[in-house]
Amino acid sequence: MTDLPLTDTEIVEAERELGVPFPQEYRAYLREVSAGGALFRLQRTARGWWWDGNDVWRRELLAVPFPHPDSYAEKDEELTEREPRADTFGDDAAYQTAWRAWADEVERFEDLKTAGAVVLQEHGCGFSSLLALTGPLAGTVWWDGRATCDRIVPLSLDHTAGARPVRFQEWLGQGSWALLPPGWGAHHAPDPVVPR
């Protein structure tokens, strides 16, 4: 661990500036283990407190409650059905204009799927682990697999019994690869994020 822990004063300052209280388990990690270490580092920058590896423009979405993926399934389908098709337009310019407007709407909607969350770790190929900071799911950890399957799924200790999303502390002891649903790649033995 090369990133020193934060002080209580720094954590409170970051929470106040970002407008969100951190889940208790994450606060304890920041205070007792590291401001980053195996995770993207939370630090004070010239633009204020923020996490390495996270887009600064997402700051405005941090206070929006992290949505459960089931909550936007219908909207996903509706957007897909509304994708403009070239054969329904009289000319290519009209089609391109309609398609760009639709694509912008899709992009805004995709951004909302991770509102209220930060990326804890990148895993390559567009995969990442997310920590929900706001809403009823605050403190839980999720797998962003949209790069290949258009889905965000809970990382869970038991995917057969409802797939309760793991809490931050549970995730630290297992690592993301061991907590993926069956069939989501080769099964990996637990690989703690923070060795005990």
Side-chain angles (χ1 to χ4, degrees):
M1 300 282 165
T2 58
D3 297 314
L4 296 175
L6 299 178
T7 65
D8 284 323
T9 301
E10 289 172 319
I11 293 169
V12 169
E13 179 185 307
E15 289 176 317
R16 183 175 49 249
E17 183 182 307
L18 293 167
V20 295
F22 300 149
Q24 288 303 314
E25 294 171 356
Y26 183 59
R27 288 180 108 252
Y29 177 87
L30 292 171
R31 184 179 59 249
E32 299 165 14
V33 180
S34 175
L39 312 182
F40 282 135
R41 180 173 42 144
L42 173 62
Q43 63 180 337
R44 186 184 299 119
T45 70
R47 300 172 104 178
W49 285 95
W50 196 244
W51 290 265
D52 288 343
N54 283 262
D55 294 323
V56 176
W57 62 265
R58 295 195 48 76
R59 193 180 198 103
E60 66 195 44
L61 294 175
L62 202 55
V64 176
F66 178 74
H68 192 287
D70 292 346
S71 71
Y72 49 74
E74 285 183 32
K75 175 72 173 176
D76 259 339
E77 288 178 26
E78 185 263 330
L79 276 171
T80 299
E81 290 173 8
R82 279 198 299 112
E83 180 176 3
R85 293 187 359 234
D87 61 353
T88 62
F89 287 84
D91 65 83
D92 189 56
Y95 165 67
Q96 292 296 330
T97 299
W99 194 88
R100 277 192 299 277
W102 174 83
D104 288 345
E105 184 180 356
V106 168
E107 186 175 344
R108 284 189 301 275
F109 183 63
E110 287 297 319
D111 290 341
L112 288 173
K113 290 179 180 180
T114 58
V118 294
V119 176
L120 291 173
Q121 286 183 322
E122 286 283 346
H123 303 290
C125 300
F127 299 128
S128 60
S129 296
L130 305 172
L131 172 63
L133 294 177
T134 57
L137 297 168
T140 58
V141 184
W142 298 75
W143 180 263
D144 188 346
R146 291 177 296 167
T148 59
C149 69
D150 292 330
R151 294 182 59 205
I152 296 172
V153 297
L155 292 171
S156 181
L157 293 167
D158 186 1
H159 285 280
T160 61
R164 176 189 64 81
V166 292
R167 307 279 315 158
F168 179 75
Q169 191 66 38
E170 294 171 314
W171 175 76
L172 285 176
Q174 298 283 321
S176 296
W177 293 103
L179 299 168
L180 285 168
W184 282 63
H187 177 73
H188 293 265
D191 182 18
V193 177
V194 177
R196 296 171 196 242

